[in-house]
Amino acid sequence: MATQKSGTRGFGAAAAAGAAFALGALTVVAAYQRWYADPRSRTEQLDAQRARLVDYQRLQLRLLDKAMDDPQLAAVLSTVETDSPAQRRQYLFANALYANAVFGYRIGIADLEELRGHLRVLVRNAVFRAYWEATRPHRASLQNDSEEGRVGMMVDTLIRNLDEADTDEWWVVGEPPAE
């Protein structure tokens, strides 16, 4: 004859699930305590992230340098339609200037207002403006709330403000960005 245990099996599974949840929660709490208790660890992680960004930027610049020296490689790196190899090289260089400015902001060398000032100088250049217009479709997929999306909108706003300005004092045109 079989022995019946009423209700204990369900309780055991619930207790095991509760214990697993508690163990997981304690693990998360311990990880957060280590993160916040040791600011050196957080600083080291941020420094490592910055070092990875610097390495990435160096690689990008090396690839760009090769592409600018070789029109066949430039055609691979740049998908923008251009009238000549010289114009493609100009667009690649415009992209490098833009990327360098944004990179300086990302790693903390420049704050948002300094980035805006640098970009305001760039958008005064006719070649940069032509590059910016030619690459508009590339920016269409950026999320407006992403960092790159916000910077792209800043450039668009700077161009619009400069075009609409009734002053030759280009360095004072437009409102500062909201932090």
Side-chain angles (χ1 to χ4, degrees):
M1 183 156 145
T3 307
Q4 291 185 350
K5 294 185 179 180
S6 136
T8 58
R9 183 179 308 168
F11 178 73
F21 176 77
L23 182 61
L26 288 173
T27 302
V28 169
V29 168
Y32 275 114
Q33 283 179 338
R34 279 192 304 271
W35 171 263
Y36 287 107
D38 186 5
R40 187 181 67 236
S41 172
R42 186 173 53 237
T43 301
E44 288 169 358
Q45 288 176 359
L46 292 173
D47 287 346
Q49 173 68 12
R50 182 175 289 177
R52 286 190 299 275
L53 282 171
V54 168
D55 287 343
Y56 177 78
Q57 184 73 5
R58 281 187 188 129
L59 176 60
Q60 289 298 102
L61 290 174
R62 269 188 258 142
L63 291 171
L64 177 65
D65 192 40
K66 286 182 179 210
M68 289 182 68
D69 288 341
D70 185 337
Q72 292 174 332
L73 295 179
V76 175
L77 184 62
S78 174
T79 60
V80 176
E81 293 296 322
T82 59
D83 296 333
S84 67
Q87 186 181 43
R88 183 177 307 277
R89 289 180 72 200
Q90 288 177 326
Y91 283 10
L92 287 171
F93 192 73
N95 175 260
L97 292 173
Y98 171 74
N100 190 58
V102 173
F103 176 70
Y105 170 68
R106 283 187 175 147
I107 65 169
I109 290 173
D111 64 17
L112 193 59
E113 183 60 26
E114 291 167 322
L115 173 62
R116 181 176 172 267
H118 187 76
L119 294 173
R120 188 180 355 210
V121 172
L122 278 178
V123 301
R124 294 191 65 239
N125 183 283
V127 174
F128 182 85
R129 281 190 180 214
Y131 152 78
W132 194 254
E133 188 56 38
T135 58
R136 184 169 303 285
H138 296 136
R139 293 186 304 281
S141 64
L142 293 176
Q143 298 295 316
N144 289 340
D145 61 344
S146 71
E147 186 175 57
E148 186 134 3
R150 288 189 304 272
V151 172
M153 286 187 295
M154 181 191 302
V155 172
D156 290 337
T157 300
L158 284 167
I159 290 171
R160 189 173 44 257
N161 289 344
L162 287 170
D163 286 347
E164 294 171 356
D166 57 357
T167 180
D168 290 334
E169 296 176 345
W170 59 268
W171 56 93
V172 296
V173 171
E175 294 296 318
E179 294 276 341

